[in-house]
Amino acid sequence: MSASRILKWVTGGLEAFLGIPIIGGTFVLSFLWTPLAVMLALHITTLVIANKEGKSSSGSVLGIVTSCIAWIPIVGMIMHIITAIILMLDASKNETA
């Protein structure tokens, strides 16, 4: 399994956690929005590695956008859920394709 695929699974799972109503928001607020900065760094890392491997980077780009606007309560939750779905679908694609 490639590094970009592993990172897409990890970032997708973390995005799914952050998208859980009340729990994700409480987690982000309790750490003073630091999880959003960590996710931004992870998405940028995943984007760079995916580009080096010639893999799809759309989920990581959406993750970067999500990390930048997720401080908005309802919008952030929806964006986290959408990003999680796209990243996990992207990670589940066949590696040879």
Side-chain angles (χ1 to χ4, degrees):
M1 191 178 302
S2 68
S4 64
R5 191 172 187 189
I6 292 169
L7 280 169
K8 287 175 187 177
W9 278 115
V10 170
T11 55
L14 291 171
E15 287 287 352
F17 171 74
L18 293 175
I20 299 172
I22 300 172
I23 296 171
T26 302
F27 182 77
V28 169
L29 290 175
S30 66
F31 286 101
L32 301 174
W33 292 276
T34 304
L36 298 180
V38 171
M39 290 305 296
L40 178 63
L42 282 172
H43 287 304
I44 291 170
T45 303
T46 305
L47 176 68
V48 169
I49 292 173
N51 281 337
K52 281 186 180 180
E53 293 178 356
K55 304 291 183 186
S56 172
S57 58
S58 57
S60 297
V61 171
L62 182 59
I64 291 169
V65 172
T66 298
S67 296
C68 293
I69 64 167
W71 56 271
I72 304 169
I74 303 300
V75 174
M77 180 188 72
I78 293 168
M79 289 297 293
H80 282 304
I81 293 167
I82 292 169
T83 303
I85 292 168
I86 291 174
L87 280 165
M88 290 184 177
L89 287 173
D90 196 21
S92 67
K93 289 181 183 174
N94 190 354
E95 291 229 10
T96 58

